[in-house]
Amino acid sequence: MDFKELEKQARNNLNGSCKVCKVCNGVACAGEVPGMGGKGTGSSFIENNKSLEKVKINMRVIHNVSNPDTSIELFGQKMDAPIFAAPITGTTLNMGGKISERDYIEPVVKGCIKSGIYAMVGDTAVDEFLIENLKVLKENSGKGIVFIKPWENEDIIRKIKLAEESGAIAVGVDIDACGLVTLSMHGKTVVPKDIKSLRELKKSTKLPFVVKGIMTVQDALMAVDAGADAIVISNHGGRVLDCTPGVAEVLPSISKAVKGKITILADGGVRTGVDVLKMIGLGADAVLIGRPFVTASFGGAIDGVETYVNKVKDELSSAMILTGCQTVKDINNKVIYKNIGDSKGIYII
């Protein structure tokens, strides 16, 4: 599928809510929440991209890697690449309202499945959107992960049961959404979660339980203490709190603290297969990609999603060849160029 035509169609269908910039870096849409931008100055969204851009990789060409294996197993599922479509919900709230929730999420779920990866689906202020997302998952054998907003635990547990009925492979709570503007605008009450609350949620399900919205070592350690199966290092795409560091900047220290104790997913500014390699080299087990899936679905439906995923997979494969990595497990901090003179220490692992 022609990518320029896909972007043109997406720009039209997004109805002014997203400019579909050549580089999706948060600059043009700063402060557009509701919308697809980052909160306030937009710096948290922008820093996700900047921090990842600053990371450089070591090119290695003397080796015997010519046909790398990009596959990985997570949550009991074999995947063709360490990539998930991030949970993005709310077509009428943030995406221009021209496309229905089903018409957005169904191509994402189906396109991901056809490409050998999985989509995450989400919850929002409009209850019907989660129900629609769960219907789509159930129609596709539950091949996806469900994220629920941090409501009162009683409400979350009720929605976890609905996720289980859909056949989901895992369930989680994006705890960083306790500050999401679009929820408070609709009179919805979200609350922060302590360790006790997270333990209660973990015990309520037999599915793998994921905590999304971790940005510090302390929170990562508490998620481990709460019994979570995985964390997502994420600042919610820069949409909940202005002036946070980028995900790539905090990932190494968090990985150093909890690697091997919990599955680590990273979500923030990933656009290409090289970005995927960087995040894994910095300590993630797999990544989430958000806004590009909106463009892919709005611009080309299932074909658009497949086109984008296959592009990222090809880029990852090429990057693995040029860094001498036969498997995803071979991608580690050795692929990261360590600039000892960098005052921020982004590359010092």
Side-chain angles (χ1 to χ4, degrees):
M1 187 174 189
D2 182 76
F3 224 80
K4 287 187 177 180
E5 182 59 33
L6 182 155
E7 290 175 332
K8 180 180 178 182
Q9 188 61 41
R11 196 173 291 112
N12 177 59
N13 286 336
L14 280 159
N15 203 24
S17 63
C18 176
K19 299 170 182 64
V20 190
C21 300
K22 184 176 181 180
V23 178
C24 179
N25 59 13
V27 174
C29 57
E32 295 182 5
V33 181
M36 296 298 289
K39 189 174 182 179
T41 66
S43 72
S44 296
F45 178 178
I46 293 167
E47 282 302 314
N48 280 341
N49 289 79
K50 279 188 176 180
S51 64
L52 193 52
E53 183 182 356
K54 287 177 183 176
V55 177
K56 306 304 177 184
I57 54 180
N58 290 316
M59 186 170 75
R60 291 181 53 233
V61 293
I62 300 178
H63 53 67
N64 61 359
V65 176
S66 60
N67 186 29
D69 181 4
T70 63
S71 69
I72 191 171
E73 185 172 320
L74 283 174
F75 307 117
Q77 307 292 320
K78 182 76 177 287
M79 301 169 61
D80 287 353
I83 301 165
F84 293 95
I88 298 179
T89 309
T91 54
T92 60
L93 303 178
N94 297 304
M95 306 179 207
K98 193 172 181 179
I99 301 280
S100 72
E101 188 70 18
R102 172 173 279 268
D103 287 342
Y104 159 65
I105 198 63
E106 188 170 42
V108 175
V109 171
K110 288 186 174 182
C112 284
I113 291 171
K114 291 181 74 172
S115 303
I117 66 170
Y118 294 110
M120 296 174 170
V121 303
D123 188 15
T124 190
V126 180
D127 293 334
E128 290 78 10
F129 284 175
L130 175 64
I131 301 304
E132 196 65 55
N133 287 339
L134 294 178
K135 284 180 182 177
V136 171
L137 272 194
K138 192 168 187 177
E139 291 164 8
N140 290 278
S141 304
K143 298 296 186 180
I145 297 174
V146 178
F147 274 92
I148 300 164
K149 291 289 180 280
W151 319 113
E152 297 289 351
N153 269 20
E154 183 180 350
D155 291 333
I156 295 174
I157 292 170
R158 176 176 59 83
K159 290 186 174 183
I160 284 176
K161 298 308 174 188
L162 295 177
E164 290 173 341
E165 291 169 11
S166 76
I169 61 177
V171 67
V173 177
D174 45 348
I175 57 174
D176 52 353
C178 62
L180 197 58
V181 173
T182 49
L183 300 180
S184 59
M185 285 175 62
H186 286 75
K188 296 287 187 176
T189 302
V190 283
V191 292
K193 300 298 173 187
D194 58 16
I195 293 178
K196 182 180 178 181
S197 296
L198 291 176
R199 283 177 180 158
E200 181 182 20
L201 296 174
K202 163 63 180 174
K203 290 177 181 177
S204 74
T205 182
K206 292 182 179 179
L207 292 176
F209 180 67
V210 188
V211 178
K212 180 175 178 286
I214 302 298
M215 286 291 287
T216 66
V217 169
Q218 292 85 352
D219 275 4
L221 291 170
M222 285 190 282
V224 171
D225 191 16
D229 298 285
I231 55 172
V232 183
I233 303 175
S234 172
N235 60 15
H236 212 98
R239 295 173 59 76
V240 293
L241 179 64
D242 204 358
C243 302
T244 73
V247 168
E249 196 166 356
V250 302
L251 173 55
S253 60
I254 294 174
S255 174
K256 185 177 180 180
V258 301
K259 191 77 169 182
K261 300 175 183 178
I262 197 167
T263 296
I264 302 171
L265 308 179
D267 165 44
V270 178
R271 302 290 181 258
T272 69
V274 173
D275 291 339
V276 175
L277 180 109
K278 287 181 181 181
M279 285 294 203
I280 295 175
L282 290 171
D285 294 303
V287 306
L288 279 61
I289 302 178
R291 291 171 177 91
F293 276 98
V294 175
T295 300
S297 178
F298 274 60
I302 295 173
D303 286 345
V305 172
E306 281 192 272
T307 297
Y308 176 67
V309 175
N310 289 333
K311 172 179 174 291
V312 176
K313 284 163 61 177
D314 288 345
E315 291 165 347
L316 173 60
S317 179
S318 177
M320 289 173 67
I321 291 173
L322 289 168
T323 53
C325 298
Q326 177 60 43
T327 69
V328 172
K329 288 184 178 180
D330 294 330
I331 304 172
N332 55 36
N333 60 12
K334 291 180 181 178
V335 308
I336 305 297
Y337 172 69
K338 300 172 181 64
N339 184 351
I340 303 303
D342 189 282
S343 61
K344 288 187 176 181
I346 291 174
Y347 317 130
I348 302 172
I349 303 172

